[in-house]
Every structure is written in C-alpha cells, then in structure tokens.
Amino acid sequence: MRKKKLGWTLGAGAAMILGLGAAVSGLSSANASSPDTSADTKTHPVKVEVFAPKRGDNAGVEGKGWFVDLKLSFRDKTLAQTGFNGLQLTGPAAHNNIAPFPGTFSTGQDDKIPGLVVLDSTTNSTLPGFSGPGTNLANLFNLSGVTNRTPHKTELWDTWIVGAPIAGQNVDTTLTVAVVDDLNHDGIYNDAPGVVKDLNGDGKIDAKDLGLMGVASNIVTVPFHINADPA
C-alpha cells in the first residue's frame, strides 16, 4: 500500500497523549454523540459512537488539527471476529509503521480495523491517494486499541488527528462512519473498501451508499465546520 506524507508535525508520543486526551474528553461527552441514521442500533451487532467532532463544531486550525475520535462496540463478538489485528500508534513520514505499535498510514482500508469505513463529504481528489468523498480515511487513524472485553462485548477505540487540510478549509462538511458487514462471509469484519462507490447513482457518496453496500453497524453522520483561521 502506498504511504502518504501529509505534513503532520506532531511526534508519535505527542499524538498518543493528544489521542488519549481526546478519548477522555469523549468519555465525558458520550451523551453528546452524534445521532445515528439508523432508527435502532440494537438491530446491528456493532454500535458506532463518534465523540469528536460533534455536530455543529467549528473544528481545526487552517483546515487541519481536528480530531476524529470514535468507539466501536461489537456485541457477542470475539476480538478476532472484529477484524482487529494489533495495537497501533502511527502517522506520516518517520512515524509510519514503526515500533512499538506499528501500523500503516495511508488512505484506504485500515490494516488494524479492516471493517471500518470513515468518509468525509468534502475530501479532495487532488492529493495523491485521495479519490474525493468516497475515499475511505480509516487507515489514516493514528491510535487504535482495545478498551473493553467481556464475554458479551468487545470494544475498540480509534483516534485520528488530521494533519493536513484534506477536506478543505472554511467549509461545511459531513463525517460518516460505519462498520461494513461481513460481505465475504468469513465470520470476520474485514471487508471495508478502499473507496466507496456511488451505488445509488445520485452523484453523492454518503450513508445511503454504505447502506446499499451493507453494514454491520449503525451509520453515524456528523455535520460540522472545518475552520480556516490560524492558531
């Protein structure tokens, strides 16, 4: 998989601290999670919760520096069945795929949580590796781990600090997150595509297309604004 250098200047240690801080912040604001497009998350074996950004946020600095912080709860699934295959602390350039928790850093299917799809409605198609709003951004996440395991639930947490204005500046945008269904029927959630297609032919790539593709989770959509102001 081709790796991208997106000009992210935070060190790996700083990214971990910031990511953990976002996670703690997310715990305190769990009741503010963005609403789901599905009516009843109990009908799905996976529940997605997005803690950052929140609906209506004015996020980031010069189009970057905003977080995506999310939790995935798999009901009656083992860790292996979730598709998770290793702890991750990664980033661009020198941070890419190195110890202690190596993970690849690029657009496309995530090597650590391969069933996850993360879309942004204003993702550009000019940077190498980006294909516009259908681009799966999941493999750009920096910090991935296992936050809870019980006989009846496995919980994963995933955090990303956006290091470049990949979705524009001073723009209204929508984040869309889901876990793709077990499309190949191997018992593992590992079938997220690198690029989501416009399956309903309406000229947009959004939650409707994920629903047509098949999802194992609720689909969370978060409308927010990407700030262009400097620090």
Side-chain angles (χ1 to χ4, degrees), residues 51-63:
F51 300 114
K54 295 191 294 294
R55 178 177 290 266
D57 276 356
N58 182 34
V61 175
E62 297 177 336

Side-chain angles (χ1 to χ4, degrees), residues 185-203:
H185 307 293
D186 65 353
I188 302 172
Y189 294 121
N190 57 4
D191 298 319
V195 178
V196 176
K197 296 180 181 179
D198 180 12
L199 295 178
N200 63 357
D202 66 352

Side-chain angles (χ1 to χ4, degrees), residues 6-102:
L6 299 182
W8 186 55
T9 58
L10 286 175
M16 179 169 64
I17 292 170
L18 285 170
L20 289 173
V24 171
S25 174
L27 282 171
S28 66
S29 61
N31 60 356
S33 296
S34 301
D36 308 321
T37 59
S38 54
D40 184 3
T41 59
K42 293 181 180 179
T43 63
H44 301 284
V46 187
K47 180 180 180 181
V48 175
E49 296 177 79
V50 176
F51 300 114
K54 295 191 294 294
R55 178 177 290 266
D57 276 356
N58 182 34
V61 175
E62 297 177 336
K64 56 190 176 182
W66 47 281
F67 276 96
V68 181
D69 195 29
L70 59 88
K71 180 173 72 173
L72 309 174
S73 300
F74 296 78
R75 186 174 66 249
D76 295 324
K77 302 297 179 183
T78 66
L79 188 61
Q81 288 173 314
T82 71
F84 183 82
N85 55 46
L87 303 174
Q88 175 172 240
L89 175 61
T90 192
H95 307 285
N96 185 13
N97 211 22
I98 62 172
F101 304 123

Side-chain angles (χ1 to χ4, degrees), residues 50 53 66 68 70 108 116-124 131-141 160 166-167 173-180 192-198 204-211 213 215 219-224 226:
V50 176
W66 47 281
V68 181
L70 59 88
L116 179 64
V117 167
V118 179
L119 305 176
D120 193 277
S121 63
T122 55
T123 297
N124 71 63
S131 304
T135 306
N136 187 357
L137 304 171
N139 202 44
L140 294 170
F141 278 62
W160 173 33
I166 59 142
T173 193
T174 299
L175 187 78
T176 302
V177 183
V179 172
V180 174
V195 178
V196 176
K197 296 180 181 179
D198 180 12
K204 299 182 292 185
I205 300 175
D206 53 21
K208 294 178 182 178
D209 299 297
L210 292 181
M213 181 172 58
V215 293
I219 303 173
V220 177
T221 59
V222 186
F224 70 105
I226 299 177

